[in-house]
Amino acid sequence: MEVTITVNGTPVTSEIEPRKLLVHFVREDAGLRGTHWGCDTSNCGTCVLWVDGSPVKSCTMLAAQADGHEVTTVEGLEQGGVLDPIQQGFIECHGLQCGFCTPGMMMTGRWLLDNNPNPSEAEIRDCISGQICRCTGYKNIVASIQWAAEHPATSEVTA
Amino acid sequence: MTAVEEVPLSAAGNPIGFGSMRRVEDARFVRGQGNYVDDVNLPGMLHSAILRSPHAHARIVSIDAAAAEALPGVVAVITGKILEGIPRPSLLGDNFAWMPTLSYDTQAVLATDKVRFQGQEVAYVIAESRYIAKDALELIDVEYEILEPVMDAKRALDAGAPIIRDDKGQTDNSITDVHGNKTWESGNAESTAAAIAAAKADPNCVVVTQEIMYPRVHPAPMETCGSVSYLDKVTGQLTMYTTTQAPHAHRTVYAMVAGLPEQKIRIISPDIGGGFGNKVPVYPGYVLSVIGTIVTGKPVKWIEDRGENLVSTGFARDYHMTASIAATKEGKILAVDVDVLADHGAFNGVAQPTNYPAGFFNIFSGSYDYADAHCKVTPVYTNKAPGGVAYACSFRITEAAYVIERVVDCLAQELQMDPAELRLKNLLRPEQFPYLSPTGWEYDSGEYEKTMRVAMEMAGYDELRREQAEKRAKGEYMGIGISFFTEGVGAGPRRDMDILGLGMADGIELRVHPTGKAQLRLSVQSQGQGHETTFAQIVAHELGIPPEDIEVLHGDTDNTPFGLGTYGSRSTPVSGAAASVVARKVRDRARIVAAAALECAPDDLDWELGRWYVKGDRERGKTIAEIALLSHSSLELPEGVEGHLDATAVYNPPSLTYPYGCYICVVDVDPGTGQVKVRRFIAVDDCGTRINPMIVEGQVHGGLADGVGMALMELIAFDSDGNNLGGSFMDYLLPTAVECPDWELGETVTPSPHHPIGAKGVGESATVGSPAAVVNAVIDALSPFGVRHADMPLTPANVWRAIQGNAMRVDMAIE
Amino acid sequence: MQTPAPVDYARATSVADAIDLLEKHGDEARLLAGGHSLLPMMKLRLARPEILIDLNDLDELRGIRIEGEEIVIGAMVTHAEILDSPVLAEHYAIFREAEKVIADPIVRNKGTIGGSMCQADPSEDLSAVGSALKGSVVIQGSGGKRTLALREFHEGPYETKVGDAEILIEVRFPIRPGAGSAYEKVERRVGDWPVASAGVFVVVSGGVVTDCGIGLTAIGAEHFCAPDAEAYLIGKAPTEENLAAAAQLAADACTPYADQRGPVDYKLHLARELTLRTLRKAAASSQGA
């Protein structure tokens, strides 16, 4: 079947098998490999991206379901050469080590702040509770999201 | 994030030396521009998938792959029988169906005679897409004759137990190491037995014996294992992108396994999504991707599922331990004896230094001052996946730290003594270092009591005990757990540490370009440790070149010198030392060049960070950048000095380094449900010099989460039919941000006296030290119920059962 | 990574269209709602439908509204929407308390109430909520709509009374003025399926329990409920003694099996303990505490 999914603002049209998972569409058809996968069972959140502005686990959604919808990935966070505060926060607060869970964590973190600009530590921990990080013990991920909350204007910092 | 004050900052604001600085790596990772193995796509690349055994122990009667081969898009289906037919020009087995493990055992690449664990590799499909490869697996018809499996390690050596390794002509399930030993002992058996017997007979002494299991767990990095292999048939060059923590060691192993000339093998480890030991061994999947490219002539990608990763790749622990500790009633420890039954799975695939088949487990005597210690480890085969050294374990020091710290708490309970007081009575004293342990380890340095006092101060230990007493009076159960651990890391001295005959020294290469910018080429392999940042800081510290002007290259065997890789917390102790040594070589050469330029003798020059200057005349000098250019110029240099500042080094560590720490955990237990909440966790680590404190702390945070995970939820158990009960992230539970508290870190700094910059390595400290703190806290909470021990994981069910006086056996299915 | 077997895909444009598609494809078709139960099963190749009928465009199945004396939740309402619903929070705390421990925030963005009910997992938290509140479902087929009590909805594990060519379109709950409700779950880790959960509502009037419902999941309670325990409480004062006796009756209604979440004795203990805890809380809430 032919699908057209707008990925980070750019329509991507592709002939796919209906069974193709959205994570594979993004990685293979859209050629954006920042979205990873880690578990197959929607437990780890490594594959989190946004569909129509809401984070979803893209290993548990068919690309066909996203036909005609808007997908945003980690590659869509940086705007005009300026990092999103969530990206800057992860750098400033050492919110990543191996980097594998990082795109998913940032997508969820950005979404949280879009809906709750000043989340408590408990709210942050709850919001990322469907996502596993094996490196950081989460403390610095929480700090990174807090940093982004405290620095909402992207112009304040540069990479 | 400020640098240590005395360290000057570069124009970019980075410390020219040690101190916290942002990581170089992050720029690509936060943009989604990392390059992991599954991100590698080569022209014409094929995909592959492995058919795995559903049974733990079964004879293969037949394999019919015709329907799979007929599926459109399938390029080849490979079975063990086919591999058996490919002769191998190597010393390690005569055909491709078997491969060597890192412990001189053999492991099936694809099963030929029998399957020996659930998840074992049976057939390999190469296809045009990963979807088709998976479809084809369903079309392969394997007929099995099911055999009784050996799932309970305690029964593996029973007379009449099914024989797992009949392929080797075994008549039982014992494991024999390369030296011919069936058990691994260390320490003094006689003196320890005598000390324990004397204590038993002495009314002023006690002996506490406790069975303690460290169950099977899995490192479960977020990125599973995988590889993309391509053999160029014209040039004979094999290029392999692969998830390995040890690219050079893997290159040598592939040369042995595949019979390919080593100069034609290039291993590229791009970004690695976590390793924790899981990516040290050579797995059948890697070898199959090599065979795949040999067969098809095209690049072949193999990427594991999560389930495959959990059921077939390197597990960790699985030690059944019985520990006895003898002490005076005043709490002076006299002796410790540990007897271990070690479950190695179906193939002995542990990645240990050859002379240390139980890893460094015999450091179990811990951080305490007593004379008599002994352990005996008996390894057995079972019908479980192979592996056994993985998950940030510092070569089984995790098991060692756990058993001693648990049994010390059992002793404290027996003596009705505060566990902190008991530890303080027995900790090694600063003047005892270097300290030779009763099992033969020479601890380099430590101020143990100081570190423990810092932790107790941070925790507010006395106040916590008061709070606990008040809560108990109200029927609320909080627990306080302490762990004091000592590790030996940085393997290791080449004289007695090797893996498959490869000594554990690390090469390094530093190139200083004419403009004074540098490239450092490492043998070790970051899986998130931030080598690109910290190694530049080491060179910056030695040469004064700003870290942003030093490019660190790693992960490509064609472009880096040989070394044994990153595991066992060895990068900083070994390669970090190498970086320091090679930079000092450059500094010494720079002195000669500067002397020639300044028309004086090298001895007339003094060093300040980044610059040689004439003694007594600070104005007259040359910076490293100036010297770099001069070294390429027509400047006349003394006889024997060729010019350039590039240098290489190999660092063969004189000894291990011994990081240590004191951890205190506070938990609240709901006795009505058995649920445990980790309320606080205080971790004071002493890893010697901290190159980048931000990164050190990050590594500790990660290891503490491991400890919470293992103590409370992580487990791979099996049912008696051989089914793996931890084969997905629905079943193998990893801690989330909700179970992890806001870690409270402290530090003391006792540099290693024999490491060039005094650094000890920290990558595994927290994983080693934290499980005992959590378990000790839970047992402390439950002590009013008379609970002395329960095995990890302390799930709600297990905690509730412990309260009922009926703690569960954790390695087998719950019944 | 795991991949589903080949499958066709169709987007339903209306409930009627979805029913037409179901009739056309018979039992080889599966409805796709949030997909968070079905797709993992398909990736494991434990489910292999020939066609998926995607309901995600059906706005008629969305929304939470009050109709007369009932709260109506559309089948495609997500867990996240239930968690955040002020209407539900006003009438029943149990929804919020249950939803905040179901899966995780990201999964809750996709998973739906209809999908959860129809998956009929024996450990489904919403099934316990539905049974506790004595809700009903509306099922639509080509012959029209029918309403079924949730306590008659399940045929067994993973089996419901929704026919091959039928769609569960909404879930309805009676509004009970003065009811207190609560939910408690014991899990090995946040996001895990329950070891055991209990959810209850209690109406206390004139010092005695006049109405109550007890839902249990993951511990083998038939239809996720404990009618004997409910009957016991009616007309009795919500004393600790009475609540404890009811909790014991609730545990007696359970036949859990041992698995890696826990042994049978522990699960039976939890059945009692969690029922008691939720009864206490709900009774106190009903009495305005």
Side-chain angles (χ1 to χ4, degrees):
Chain A
M1 65 185 288
E2 187 185 276
V3 296
T4 298
I5 300 172
T6 301
V7 183
N8 300 330
T10 305
V12 179
T13 300
S14 207
E15 182 66 31
I16 61 165
E17 280 191 277
R19 63 167 161 166
K20 187 166 212 168
L21 299 168
L22 180 58
V23 63
H24 286 145
F25 181 91
V26 167
R27 289 175 55 81
E28 294 164 10
D29 298 77
L32 298 172
R33 301 198 183 98
T35 303
H36 307 135
W37 68 269
C39 79
D40 297 314
T41 48
S42 74
N43 294 100
C44 81
T46 300
C47 62
V48 168
L49 45 67
W50 296 354
V51 176
D52 299 332
S54 277
V56 298
K57 294 183 174 177
S58 64
C59 79
T60 309
M61 182 167 174
L62 300 176
Q65 291 175 272
D67 185 17
H69 292 267
E70 305 259 348
V71 164
T72 310
T73 69
V74 61
E75 290 90 345
L77 287 174
E78 186 177 3
Q79 294 290 328
V82 179
L83 292 181
D84 187 277
I86 197 79
Q87 294 172 296
Q88 194 66 38
F90 273 71
I91 294 174
E92 295 293 332
C93 300
H94 190 31
L96 67 151
Q97 292 181 35
C98 81
F100 205 71
C101 76
T102 312
M105 289 288 186
M106 292 193 304
M107 295 310 288
T108 298
R110 178 72 265 157
W111 172 71
L112 171 66
L113 296 180
D114 287 348
N115 292 284
N116 180 1
N118 289 300
S120 67
E121 182 191 329
E123 286 171 328
I124 294 172
R125 286 181 183 271
D126 176 64
C127 193
I128 59 171
S129 67
Q131 292 170 251
I132 305 289
C133 171
R134 299 290 284 143
C135 298
T136 65
Y138 304 103
K139 179 178 171 116
N140 287 352
I141 292 178
V142 173
S144 301
I145 295 171
Q146 286 170 329
W147 189 97
E150 289 157 12
H151 300 78
T154 51
S155 57
E156 281 184 31
V157 288
T158 52
Chain B
M1 200 187 323
T2 51
V4 177
E5 248 174 67
E6 312 83 66
V7 178
L9 298 183
S10 70
N14 294 320
I16 306 178
F18 304 152
S20 291
M21 66 173 269
R22 296 185 195 92
R23 299 198 323 164
V24 175
E25 295 86 343
D26 294 354
R28 63 179 185 275
F29 290 136
V30 300
R31 290 173 170 87
Q33 301 294 325
N35 185 33
Y36 302 90
V37 170
D38 199 18
D39 299 336
V40 173
N41 287 311
L42 302 179
M45 186 176 78
L46 299 171
H47 297 264
S48 62
I50 295 172
L51 182 71
R52 294 177 182 276
S53 168
H55 307 298
H57 199 191
R59 194 164 301 288
I60 295 176
V61 178
S62 64
I63 301 177
D64 181 355
E69 286 167 336
L71 184 72
V74 170
V75 177
V77 180
I78 294 168
T79 62
K81 217 169 214 63
I82 293 171
L83 295 185
E84 265 184 325
I86 307 176
R88 177 170 52 201
S90 106
L91 303 172
L92 296 156
D94 57 3
N95 68 64
F96 275 98
W98 292 83
M99 65 177 195
T101 72
L102 298 180
S103 293
Y104 294 91
D105 196 0
T106 50
Q107 175 174 358
V109 176
L110 290 174
T112 52
D113 53 341
K114 291 201 308 191
V115 289
R116 293 175 170 84
F117 67 92
Q118 187 186 53
Q120 187 180 338
E121 299 78 2
V122 173
Y124 183 59
V125 172
I126 304 162
E128 287 167 7
S129 81
R130 67 177 96 208
Y131 284 63
I132 295 171
K134 291 286 189 191
D135 293 344
L137 295 184
E138 296 186 287
L139 300 175
I140 301 173
D141 187 20
V142 184
E143 189 185 336
Y144 294 100
E145 175 196 336
I146 294 172
L147 304 172
E148 184 190 344
V150 179
M151 304 316 301
D152 183 349
K154 292 179 176 180
R155 301 185 58 190
L157 295 178
D158 285 359
I163 307 298
I164 297 166
R165 297 304 301 276
D166 45 346
D167 59 296
K168 303 206 307 180
Q170 294 227 171
T171 55
D172 62 17
N173 293 315
S174 65
I175 290 175
T176 309
D177 72 17
V178 70
H179 305 296
N181 298 316
K182 284 183 189 289
T183 59
W184 306 320
E185 288 193 61
S186 66
N188 190 326
E190 285 172 21
S191 71
T192 304
I196 289 175
K200 277 184 180 160
D202 186 340
N204 294 315
C205 294
V206 295
V207 176
V208 177
T209 298
Q210 181 65 52
E211 279 188 48
I212 297 169
M213 173 161 209
Y214 208 133
R216 181 174 278 235
V217 291
H218 197 281
M222 293 316 297
E223 176 202 36
T224 60
C225 298
S227 53
V228 177
S229 300
Y230 178 52
L231 179 73
D232 184 323
K233 290 209 165 161
V234 176
T235 63
Q237 171 90 30
L238 173 71
T239 305
M240 191 171 178
Y241 299 84
T242 186
T243 50
T244 174
Q245 299 175 220
H248 294 277
H250 275 207
R251 184 186 71 200
T252 303
V253 171
Y254 292 122
M256 293 172 170
V257 172
L260 294 167
E262 196 170 354
Q263 82 279 12
K264 293 285 193 186
I265 302 176
R266 179 182 185 186
I267 305 294
I268 300 174
S269 280
D271 290 318
I272 304 295
F276 318 109
N278 187 233
K279 291 166 181 169
V280 173
V282 172
Y283 295 120
Y286 299 151
V287 175
L288 287 168
S289 77
V290 174
I291 291 167
T293 184
I294 292 173
V295 168
T296 64
K298 292 191 170 164
V300 174
K301 177 185 275 189
W302 167 71
I303 303 284
E304 261 173 3
D305 295 350
R306 173 56 59 190
E308 295 182 281
N309 179 255
L310 287 169
V311 304
S312 73
T313 65
F315 72 94
R317 330 289 191 245
D318 220 342
Y319 261 31
H320 299 255
M321 304 177 281
T322 303
S324 294
I325 186 166
T328 67
K329 284 192 170 161
E330 286 73 46
K332 174 79 188 84
I333 298 172
L334 301 169
V336 176
D337 189 85
V338 185
D339 192 72
V340 181
L341 178 68
D343 186 339
H344 281 227
F347 308 101
N348 183 23
V350 295
Q352 311 281 17
T354 306
N355 294 334
Y356 298 86
F360 301 163
F361 179 77
N362 62 14
I363 200 171
F364 72 88
S365 65
S367 314
Y368 309 110
D369 181 18
Y370 60 96
D372 294 303
H374 168 256
C375 73
K376 182 173 96 171
V377 178
T378 306
V380 294
Y381 288 119
T382 59
N383 286 111
K384 303 178 189 175
V389 56
Y391 204 168
C393 67
S394 286
F395 294 118
R396 294 217 193 267
I397 291 174
T398 315
E399 291 92 319
Y402 180 66
V403 76
I404 184 68
E405 288 309 291
R406 192 73 272 288
V407 81
V408 163
D409 256 40
C410 293
L411 174 65
Q413 199 176 343
E414 176 75 22
L415 296 172
Q416 297 187 313
M417 185 179 284
D418 186 289
E421 185 191 343
L422 177 60
R423 285 178 173 80
L424 286 166
K425 272 187 188 191
N426 289 282
L427 284 177
L428 293 165
R429 299 177 308 280
E431 65 272 19
Q432 289 178 280
F433 292 88
Y435 168 77
L436 188 65
S437 84
T439 51
W441 301 92
E442 192 179 279
Y443 298 6
D444 54 353
S445 64
E447 293 195 49
Y448 288 1
E449 181 176 341
K450 177 170 133 189
T451 304
M452 182 148 173
R453 297 266 182 214
V454 170
M456 291 173 69
E457 176 79 15
M458 283 178 64
Y461 186 78
D462 295 339
E463 180 52 38
L464 285 172
R465 286 289 175 203
R466 272 194 291 277
E467 181 190 350
Q468 182 183 41
E470 285 166 18
K471 287 208 153 141
R472 276 186 187 165
K474 291 189 286 182
E476 292 172 28
Y477 296 88
M478 72 176 268
I480 305 151
I482 304 172
S483 161
F484 196 107
F485 65 93
T486 301
E487 290 182 276
V489 305
R494 229 179 48 220
R495 63 180 180 274
D496 74 338
M497 289 186 189
D498 69 270
I499 290 180
L500 281 183
L502 304 171
M504 302 185 78
D506 281 356
I508 201 156
E509 182 185 337
L510 178 59
R511 298 180 185 175
V512 182
H513 297 328
T515 56
K517 318 286 185 189
Q519 279 190 340
L520 184 70
R521 292 164 187 264
L522 306 179
S523 66
V524 286
Q525 174 64 45
S526 174
Q527 315 119 46
Q529 290 90 337
H531 289 173
E532 291 163 43
T533 305
T534 49
F535 278 82
Q537 291 185 263
I538 296 172
V539 173
H541 169 80
E542 298 290 353
L543 289 178
I545 300 173
E548 63 268 22
D549 290 344
I550 301 160
E551 190 75 11
V552 175
L553 293 104
H554 58 112
D556 179 347
T557 56
D558 270 11
N559 290 318
T560 55
F562 194 91
L564 264 270
T566 294
Y567 45 84
S569 300
R570 65 186 300 282
S571 288
T572 296
V574 186
S575 272
S580 177
V581 166
V582 78
R584 288 176 192 182
K585 277 191 178 180
V586 166
R587 197 166 74 196
D588 290 345
R589 179 102 52 84
R591 186 181 203 174
I592 296 168
V593 175
L598 295 165
E599 298 178 333
C600 62
D603 285 349
D604 294 337
L605 298 178
D606 268 344
W607 173 256
E608 65 180 349
L609 187 63
R611 185 169 179 270
W612 285 107
Y613 66 91
V614 178
K615 283 177 182 168
D617 186 0
R618 212 169 254 273
E619 297 302 303
R620 273 185 70 208
K622 295 286 181 194
T623 66
I624 274 287
E626 290 166 336
I627 297 167
L629 192 56
L630 285 165
S631 75
H632 286 267
S633 74
S634 59
L635 175 71
E636 200 171 320
L637 296 172
E639 189 76 20
V641 180
E642 302 287 353
H644 300 191
L645 289 184
D646 302 349
T648 63
V650 174
Y651 188 76
N652 178 26
S655 180
L656 301 185
T657 57
Y658 292 79
Y660 62 92
C662 182
Y663 293 171
I664 298 177
C665 178
V666 184
V667 301
D668 295 296
V669 178
D670 179 342
T673 61
Q675 287 170 300
V676 174
K677 174 80 185 162
V678 179
R679 189 205 310 175
R680 290 180 67 197
F681 201 109
I682 295 91
V684 179
D685 277 276
D686 192 322
C687 58
T689 304
R690 296 183 172 210
I691 298 159
N692 184 324
M694 176 191 85
I695 287 177
V696 168
E697 288 174 9
Q699 295 228 303
V700 172
H701 294 161
L704 297 177
D706 292 346
V708 167
M710 289 182 285
L712 300 183
M713 63 191 82
E714 295 181 39
L715 174 68
I716 291 186
F718 293 84
D719 68 18
S720 54
D721 294 332
N723 294 304
N724 185 317
L725 303 176
S728 79
F729 278 173
M730 287 187 286
D731 306 303
Y732 191 80
L733 300 177
L734 296 166
T736 76
V738 171
E739 291 77 28
C740 293
D742 187 25
W743 316 113
E744 301 167 59
L745 267 50
E747 66 175 74
T748 58
V749 177
T750 312
S752 171
H754 63 72
H755 186 278
I757 54 173
K760 288 185 168 184
V762 75
E764 298 166 318
S765 293
T767 313
V768 166
S770 57
V774 180
V775 174
N776 286 347
V778 175
I779 301 298
D780 182 54
L782 301 184
S783 61
F785 298 101
V787 179
R788 189 172 86 179
H789 179 73
D791 283 327
M792 300 184 284
L794 295 170
T795 58
N798 200 6
V799 169
W800 182 79
R801 271 290 197 82
I803 293 171
Q804 316 307 310
N806 189 20
M808 297 193 295
R809 180 170 177 183
V810 294
D811 56 325
M812 302 294 289
I814 293 174
E815 288 175 347
Chain C
M1 68 183 284
Q2 294 166 357
T3 57
V7 66
D8 281 335
Y9 172 86
R11 267 192 204 178
T13 55
S14 65
V15 170
D17 179 42
I19 292 166
D20 282 351
L21 285 164
L22 284 172
E23 291 196 324
K24 188 170 150 202
H25 294 284
D27 60 2
E28 303 302 340
R30 287 291 297 267
L31 297 173
L32 180 60
H36 274 54
S37 297
L38 180 56
L39 284 172
M41 301 279 279
M42 289 173 64
K43 286 160 74 179
L44 284 164
R45 310 225 169 175
L46 296 173
R48 2 184 10 127
E50 287 183 3
I51 182 167
L52 292 173
I53 299 165
D54 190 347
L55 303 180
N56 279 278
D57 282 357
L58 304 188
D59 288 342
E60 57 198 290
L61 298 184
R62 297 192 191 279
I64 299 170
R65 61 185 190 277
I66 305 265
E67 261 184 34
E69 299 302 303
E70 286 189 315
I71 304 170
V72 183
I73 305 178
M76 290 298 287
V77 168
T78 64
H79 293 292
E81 288 165 339
I82 294 173
L83 178 63
D84 291 339
S85 164
V87 172
L88 292 174
E90 184 193 332
H91 292 283
Y92 288 115
I94 190 174
F95 281 105
R96 229 187 127 63
E97 291 179 9
E99 280 293 357
K100 71 185 179 198
V101 292
I102 292 176
D104 65 66
I106 310 303
V107 169
R108 292 199 293 260
N109 278 340
K110 286 299 289 181
T112 63
I113 186 169
S116 297
M117 291 297 180
C118 291
Q119 178 67 18
D121 189 299
S123 297
E124 173 57 50
D125 284 295
L126 278 186
S127 295
V129 173
S131 269
L133 297 182
K134 301 175 188 172
S136 58
V137 289
V138 179
I139 298 165
Q140 188 173 339
S142 54
K145 296 179 185 175
R146 62 193 177 109
T147 300
L148 194 61
L150 267 169
R151 290 185 175 193
E152 293 164 17
F153 176 67
H154 296 93
E155 296 264 58
Y158 307 102
E159 281 183 74
T160 72
K161 292 206 170 110
V162 180
D164 281 346
E166 287 187 314
I167 301 178
L168 185 157
I169 60 167
E170 59 196 32
V171 188
R172 306 174 80 100
F173 297 99
I175 294 171
R176 300 180 176 92
S181 64
Y183 198 81
E184 285 228 14
K185 169 175 175 175
V186 169
E187 54 195 356
R188 294 176 298 178
R189 188 207 64 191
V190 65
D192 188 22
W193 290 90
V195 181
S197 299
V200 305
F201 84 87
V202 178
V203 180
V204 182
S205 181
V208 296
V209 174
T210 57
D211 194 2
C212 73
I214 298 174
L216 299 154
T217 192
I219 36 183
E222 199 180 357
H223 294 297
F224 300 90
C225 58
D228 290 349
E230 294 163 358
Y232 174 85
L233 272 184
I234 299 298
K236 290 197 175 67
T239 60
E240 179 69 13
E241 192 185 0
N242 286 333
L243 298 183
Q248 183 58 52
L249 286 171
D252 293 346
C254 297
T255 51
Y257 57 86
D259 62 9
Q260 287 305 95
R261 290 186 175 79
V264 168
D265 58 349
Y266 173 61
K267 292 186 178 183
L268 287 172
H269 164 77
L270 285 184
R272 181 187 177 283
E273 179 72 21
L274 298 182
T275 303
L276 178 58
R277 289 184 183 194
T278 48
L279 282 174
R280 276 185 201 136
K281 203 169 155 190
S285 165
S286 176
Q287 294 169 98

